[in-house]
């Protein structure tokens, strides 16, 4: 009993000191108040016995602090902003020079960096093993969406969880939502090392380095001309260089090498993110800023805006994500902290769905369902073959491929094994379509029937057979149908615009700044010509069909594909499949044996694309497939040429498309694959 009193007294002492530290903005061991200077002697973050304590909640009029003896997290009341994180000897990991609303917060408006502000605070549950608190932002005439932001701290946990329930009531006014995210702004002088993946890790510049640097053609990119750390002088930094696919966005964060401390964003599931596994988004970037992105228009444009009609109700749970903190004695080896964080990420993934969130809107494992089956592909083979590593998923009912721009519901994805078998676990109760796409094949698959998921039950879909688009025998093909342009030729960057982190990383070479301009360097006057059977798409097909720089302007370009035909089948149609991995303010025109770009094309996409993947260092955006029927009269026996023109410029140098795959098929005959 006496021991518990001592621990409680120390918790209260810590709360008093922490509150003063956070609201005076001084976190270097001094509190300035009424002209006095006090040097607080902070107690260890474990109990006097050296063991981790139970979870405590300490409240004041305008603050609540959650404390489990390992980490302490302070929130403003009733707004719910995270004003401080104390861990491993650092009084506050967050940037105390920022306003309390700009340190740790949920938001839906990137331009203002104003977090969602609660108007009431509530302790949902409080035991020694778990505390869950709520900050509620009600729906009002000006705010047509209710948001309940939750935070959870568990006994023995080196970090905390957060999730939020977004809700629109019946009769709510129309609303567009561009993004939903959580932002953490860290102490810039302490957290300088960023890690996004095994290979994307670096010592980062400071905000002031961007201000003293040279802003480049794409406004988020800056050449570091006078950085505080001279080792990074001459490098280019751009937050989009650190973006990644949602399927890979499970772990990223920052390290204070001087203190041996890491802070990590761990997202164990993609079910609440929109746009499917290939949707790309931001991770961490200069600030130091650490993000949890749930919804955005990045790499997709206006088609990805979440649009609600007048009166439309809606509810969705985003998260939980886990903010994990780790440390090692002395100055920290980033690789050790990164490995530890990866181990923790795997534990979180294995634990999904979590059993501790208390909102009735977050279903536990026994309240969810599952789907199993087998995916086969029939593409000219006598018998369907297993879809190896195919992507299969459940999303809202719609057309084939509609999941790419589905922005409101939950999505559940996995990959098939070598035999095409799959199991999708932890699915929310509801109604879905079963969707799929398979690397090595073009197009999208959708199940013929609706899938109904019930609590605690497993649905068997049996054999699902996907028949990709095909009209005849393959005459030639360029690329690999995998929904990216990664297999094509990615040039070396200009030395004066390089980010050294990517110089030895071929898989991420496309992230270098300014690669669109390298097309002009390689083809200053004449455009790309590709000869089937001679050229190698890995060496000779530029990764993006972009504009050519001429002086201070950019002009449309026309690529040529040269190929022979022994004979032309008369009075019939050939089919040209063009799968695009990306498009931005472009119009792709197709002509056959006609070099006159002013003439009427055999096919045009008209104006397409706003994913901006070329400027934002992506290797893909939103996938599009065109199966183009071409009359046999357009072809000739012997040599033929297909002309591909990207005809739009809009005085916008980043206009262009990325090809995923091209294939010309002959006319359908009895011997053609079906």
């Amino acid at each position: 009993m006496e021991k518990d009193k001592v621990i409680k007294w120390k918790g209260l002492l810590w709360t008093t000191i922490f509150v003063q530290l956070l609201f005076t903005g001084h976190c270097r061991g001094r509190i300035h108040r009424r002209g006095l200077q006090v040097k607080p002697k902070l107690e260890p973050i474990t109990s006097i016995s050296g063991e981790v304590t139970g979870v405590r909640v300490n409240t004041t009029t305008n603050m609540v602090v959650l404390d489990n003896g390992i980490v302490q997290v302070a929130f403003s009341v009733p707004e719910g902003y995270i004003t401080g994180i104390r861990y491993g000897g650092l009084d506050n990991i967050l940037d105390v020079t920022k306003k309390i609303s700009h340190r740790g917060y949920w938001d839906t408006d990137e331009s203002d960096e104003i977090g969602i502000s609660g108007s009431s605070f509530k302790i949902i549950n409080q035991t020694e093993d778990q505390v869950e608190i709520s900050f509620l932002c009600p729906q009002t005439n000006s705010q047509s969406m209710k948001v309940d932001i939750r935070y959870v701290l568990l006994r023995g946990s080196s970090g905390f969880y957060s999730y939020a329930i977004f809700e629109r009531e019946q009769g709510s006014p129309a609303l567009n939502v561009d993004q939903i995210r959580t932002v953490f702004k860290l102490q810039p002088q302490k957290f300088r090392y960023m890690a996004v993946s095994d290979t994307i890790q670096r010592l980062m510049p400071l905000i002031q380095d961007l201000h003293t640097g040279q802003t480049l053609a794409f406004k988020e990119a800056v050449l570091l001309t006078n950085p505080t750390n001279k080792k990074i002088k001459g490098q280019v930094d751009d937050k989009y260089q650190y973006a990644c696919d949602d399927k890979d966005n499970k772990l990223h964060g920052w390290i204070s090498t001087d203190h041996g401390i890491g802070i990590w964003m761990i997202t164990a599931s993609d079910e609440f993110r929109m746009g499917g596994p290939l949707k790309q988004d931001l991770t961490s970037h200069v600030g130091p800023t650490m993000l949890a992105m749930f919804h955005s228009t990045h790499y997709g444009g206006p088609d990805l805006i979440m649009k609600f009609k007048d009166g439309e109700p809606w509810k969705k749970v985003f998260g939980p994500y886990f903010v994990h903190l780790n440390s090692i004695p002395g100055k920290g080896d980033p690789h050790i902290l990164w490995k530890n964080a990866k181990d923790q990420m795997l534990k979180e993934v294995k634990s999904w769905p979590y059993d501790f969130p208390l909102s009735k809107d977050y279903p536990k494992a026994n309240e969810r369902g599952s789907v199993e089956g087998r995916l086969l592909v029939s593409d000219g083979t006598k018998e369907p073959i297993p879809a190896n590593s195919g992507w299969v998923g459940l999303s809202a009912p719609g057309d084939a491929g509609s999941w790419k721009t589905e922005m409101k519901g939950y999505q559940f994805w996995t990959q098939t094994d070598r035999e095409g078998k799959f199991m999708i676990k932890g699915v929310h109760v509801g109604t879905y379509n079963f969707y799929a796409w398979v690397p090595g094949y073009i197009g999208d698959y959708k199940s013929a029937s609706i899938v109904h998921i019930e609590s605690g039950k497993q649905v068997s879909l049996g054999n699902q057979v996907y028949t990709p688009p095909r009209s005849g025998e393959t005459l030639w093909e360029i690329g690999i149908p995998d929904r990216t342009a990664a297999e094509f030729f990615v040039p070396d960057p200009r030395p004066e615009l390089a980010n050294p982190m990517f110089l030895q990383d071929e898989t991420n070479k496309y992230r270098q700044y300014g690669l669109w301009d390298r097309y002009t360097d390689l083809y200053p006057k004449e455009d790309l010509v590709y000869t089937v059977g001679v050229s190698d798409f890995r060496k000779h097909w530029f990764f993006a069909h972009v504009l050519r720089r001429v002086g201070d302007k950019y002009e449309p370009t026309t690529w040529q594909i040269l190929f022979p035909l022994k004979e032309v089948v008369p009075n019939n149609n050939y089919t040209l499949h063009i799968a695009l991995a990306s498009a931005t303010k472009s119009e792709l025109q197709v002509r056959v044996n006609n070099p006159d770009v002013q003439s009427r094309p055999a096919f045009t996409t008209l104006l397409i694309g706003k994913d901006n993947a070329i400027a934002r260092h992506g290797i893909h955006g939103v996938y599009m497939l065109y199966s183009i029927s071409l009359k046999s009269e357009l072809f000739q026996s012997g040599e033929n040429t297909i002309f591909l023109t990207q005809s739009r410029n809009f005085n916008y140098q980043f206009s262009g498309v990325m090809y995923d795959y091209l294939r010309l098929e002959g006319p359908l005959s009895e011997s053609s694959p079906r």
Side-chain angles (χ1 to χ4, degrees):
M1 181 68 72
E2 291 300 321
K3 180 178 176 181
D4 291 341
K5 288 181 179 179
V6 171
I7 294 173
K8 183 177 181 180
W9 177 83
K10 288 185 175 183
L12 293 174
L13 173 63
W14 151 240
T15 300
T16 302
I17 294 171
F18 197 31
V19 168
Q20 291 174 326
L21 284 167
L22 293 171
F23 279 98
T24 57
H26 294 270
C27 289
R28 293 183 176 87
R30 292 180 182 269
I31 300 176
H32 294 258
R33 189 171 183 177
R34 296 181 182 176
L36 299 178
Q37 289 189 348
V38 182
K39 294 183 179 180
K41 184 178 180 181
L42 298 180
E43 297 296 330
I45 61 171
T46 52
S47 69
I48 57 175
S49 65
E51 298 177 353
V52 173
T53 66
V55 186
R56 299 190 296 269
V57 181
N58 300 310
T59 59
T60 65
T61 304
N62 53 10
M63 175 168 288
V64 59
V65 179
L66 305 186
D67 179 358
N68 68 355
I70 300 173
V71 61
Q72 294 84 30
V73 190
F75 307 85
S76 64
V77 174
E79 300 88 0
Y81 303 129
I82 301 178
T83 57
I85 301 172
R86 185 176 188 258
Y87 172 81
L90 285 182
D91 292 328
N92 198 345
I93 283 174
L94 302 182
D95 186 355
V96 296
T97 67
K98 302 286 186 183
K99 295 186 295 185
I100 62 172
S101 60
H102 286 183
R103 299 180 190 177
Y105 55 92
W106 285 72
D107 83 0
T108 57
D109 190 344
E110 181 179 4
S111 60
D112 292 335
E113 290 192 335
I114 297 175
I116 297 171
S117 179
S119 62
S120 63
F121 162 69
K122 182 179 180 181
I123 298 176
I124 301 297
N125 178 63
Q126 181 179 355
T127 69
E128 287 199 344
D129 292 324
Q130 174 179 338
V131 168
E132 181 166 335
I133 60 176
S134 164
F135 298 93
L136 183 63
C137 175
Q139 182 166 333
T140 63
N141 291 334
S142 59
Q143 173 70 32
S144 56
M145 186 180 294
K146 180 172 70 175
V147 184
D148 183 2
I149 298 176
R150 303 288 185 96
Y151 291 95
V152 180
L153 186 62
L154 306 178
R155 178 198 284 266
S157 178
S158 183
F160 61 94
Y161 297 85
S162 181
Y163 66 107
I165 304 99
F166 283 66
E167 182 178 5
R168 281 171 50 86
E169 299 171 354
Q170 188 79 40
S172 299
L175 176 68
N176 287 349
V177 180
D178 290 351
Q179 76 165 11
I180 297 173
R181 66 176 187 172
T182 300
V183 183
F184 289 88
K185 300 293 182 66
L186 312 178
Q187 283 207 48
Q189 298 301 331
K190 290 182 168 57
F191 289 88
R192 300 291 303 277
Y193 191 91
M194 186 193 73
V196 173
S197 69
D198 287 339
T199 58
I200 303 178
Q201 301 184 17
R202 68 170 300 192
L203 189 66
M204 291 289 284
L206 297 172
I207 283 287
Q208 55 262 41
D209 297 334
L210 302 187
H211 296 158
T212 60
Q214 176 189 344
T215 301
L216 300 172
F218 191 64
K219 64 180 182 178
E220 283 85 358
V222 175
L223 179 63
L224 305 173
T225 56
N226 188 29
T228 51
N229 181 354
K230 300 306 178 185
K231 292 182 180 179
I232 60 176
K233 183 178 180 180
Q235 298 182 16
V236 171
D237 182 80
D238 180 347
K239 66 181 180 180
Y240 290 104
Q241 290 180 319
Y242 315 120
C244 72
D245 295 347
D246 279 350
K247 64 182 175 60
D248 303 318
N249 190 1
K250 289 182 169 55
L251 171 68
H252 59 88
W254 292 81
I255 293 169
S256 173
T257 53
D258 288 343
H259 299 83
I261 291 176
I263 180 169
W264 308 97
M265 180 62 67
I266 296 178
T267 310
S269 172
D270 293 332
E271 68 181 40
F272 39 78
R273 289 170 169 159
M274 286 85 154
L278 291 186
K279 170 66 173 71
Q280 297 166 93
D281 231 317
L282 301 177
T283 56
S284 288
H285 57 77
V286 167
T289 301
M290 185 175 74
L291 302 171
M293 297 296 303
F294 305 111
H295 163 62
S296 80
T297 60
H298 296 144
Y299 299 95
D303 289 343
L304 303 191
I305 293 175
M306 193 187 301
K307 299 177 182 178
F308 296 99
K309 298 177 182 178
D310 190 27
E312 181 181 356
W314 175 74
K315 182 185 286 188
K316 186 171 182 179
V317 178
F318 293 92
Y321 62 78
F322 181 47
V323 176
H324 174 57
L325 297 122
N326 60 3
S327 62
I328 54 178
K331 293 190 175 184
D333 182 340
H335 301 292
I336 295 176
L337 291 165
W338 169 252
K339 183 180 183 304
N340 172 269
K342 284 207 303 181
D343 292 342
Q344 185 64 42
M345 177 268 290
L346 294 175
K347 293 178 183 178
E348 299 296 325
V349 171
K350 188 176 181 179
S351 299
W352 189 271
Y354 297 132
D355 59 5
F356 57 80
L358 296 177
S359 170
K360 61 180 177 56
D361 297 307
Y362 179 83
K364 306 301 187 294
N366 62 355
E367 300 172 313
R368 300 177 178 223
S370 61
V371 172
E372 64 86 24
R374 190 179 188 212
L375 181 64
L376 305 172
V377 180
S378 178
D379 184 25
T381 55
K382 292 182 179 180
E383 297 292 335
I385 62 174
N388 183 11
S389 300
W391 282 96
V392 295
L394 299 175
S395 183
D399 297 330
S402 60
W403 51 268
K404 297 190 293 290
T405 54
E406 202 291 304
M407 293 292 111
K408 297 176 185 175
Y410 297 93
Q411 296 195 18
F412 303 87
W413 290 88
T414 191
Q415 282 188 280
T416 60
D417 63 15
R418 291 183 178 180
E419 297 180 351
K421 295 179 180 178
F422 60 86
M423 170 74 76
I424 306 175
K425 300 179 181 179
V427 183
H428 288 216
V429 171
T431 301
Y432 304 88
N433 267 138
F434 173 78
Y435 300 97
W437 63 275
V438 184
Y441 302 92
I442 59 175
D444 284 282
Y445 174 74
K446 185 191 82 167
S447 58
S449 58
I450 295 292
V451 180
H452 299 280
I453 301 297
E454 299 180 23
S455 177
K457 294 185 178 180
Q458 179 173 298
V459 176
S460 178
L461 295 181
N463 289 339
Q464 298 285 313
V465 181
Y466 174 45
T467 303
R470 179 174 285 282
S471 298
E473 183 179 357
T474 298
L475 300 179
W476 53 256
E477 58 186 347
I478 300 172
I480 300 170
D482 59 0
R483 304 196 173 217
T484 82
E487 68 271 23
F488 296 128
F489 175 70
V490 178
D492 293 330
R494 292 180 180 172
E496 70 274 15
L497 295 175
N499 186 327
M501 181 172 59
F502 303 122
L503 291 178
Q504 305 302 321
D505 184 1
E506 285 294 318
T507 60
N508 285 296
K509 189 176 181 180
Y510 64 87
R511 298 179 185 271
Q512 295 281 11
Y513 176 83
L515 296 183
W516 54 86
D517 256 354
R518 298 288 283 130
Y519 179 81
T520 301
D521 297 338
L522 295 171
Y523 301 93
K525 295 182 179 180
E526 302 295 331
D527 282 319
L528 183 151
V529 177
Y530 186 93
T531 302
V532 172
V534 177
S535 301
D536 181 346
F537 62 77
R538 295 173 180 83
K539 299 177 181 179
H540 304 125
W541 190 270
F542 200 76
F543 79 103
H545 191 160
V546 292
L547 304 171
R548 177 187 289 103
R549 185 183 68 256
V550 180
D552 59 353
K553 296 182 179 180
Y554 285 81
E555 297 182 349
T557 54
T558 298
W559 293 9
Q560 299 179 45
I561 303 173
L562 279 56
F563 61 96
L565 284 178
K566 289 185 178 180
E567 59 179 349
V568 177
V569 180
N571 304 317
N572 222 314
N573 291 326
Y574 289 71
T575 302
L576 176 65
H577 296 288
I578 300 180
L580 296 181
S582 167
T584 301
K585 294 185 177 181
S586 298
E587 179 181 357
L588 183 62
Q589 300 176 348
V590 178
R591 295 176 176 84
V592 181
N593 293 322
N594 178 11
D596 183 6
V597 296
Q598 301 302 320
S599 65
R600 183 176 179 177
F603 171 81
T604 176
T605 62
L606 299 177
L607 182 62
I608 55 171
K610 294 184 180 179
D611 62 42
N612 229 8
I614 292 171
R616 291 178 170 176
H617 319 296
I619 200 64
H620 67 87
V622 178
Y623 177 82
M624 290 178 278
L625 175 64
Y626 297 92
S627 295
I628 306 162
S629 180
L630 300 171
K631 294 183 180 299
S632 58
E633 299 91 88
L634 296 172
F635 298 91
Q636 60 192 19
S637 298
E639 291 299 319
N640 290 262
T641 303
I642 286 180
F643 297 88
L644 302 174
T645 301
Q646 197 299 93
S647 63
R648 305 286 186 120
N649 60 6
F650 295 103
N651 199 28
Y652 185 69
Q653 62 182 288
F654 309 114
S655 292
V657 301
M658 293 184 191
Y659 298 97
D660 166 43
Y661 175 75
L662 302 95
R663 182 173 77 214
L664 182 65
E665 295 173 354
L668 183 65
S669 65
E670 293 184 1
S671 60
S672 297
R674 296 178 185 270

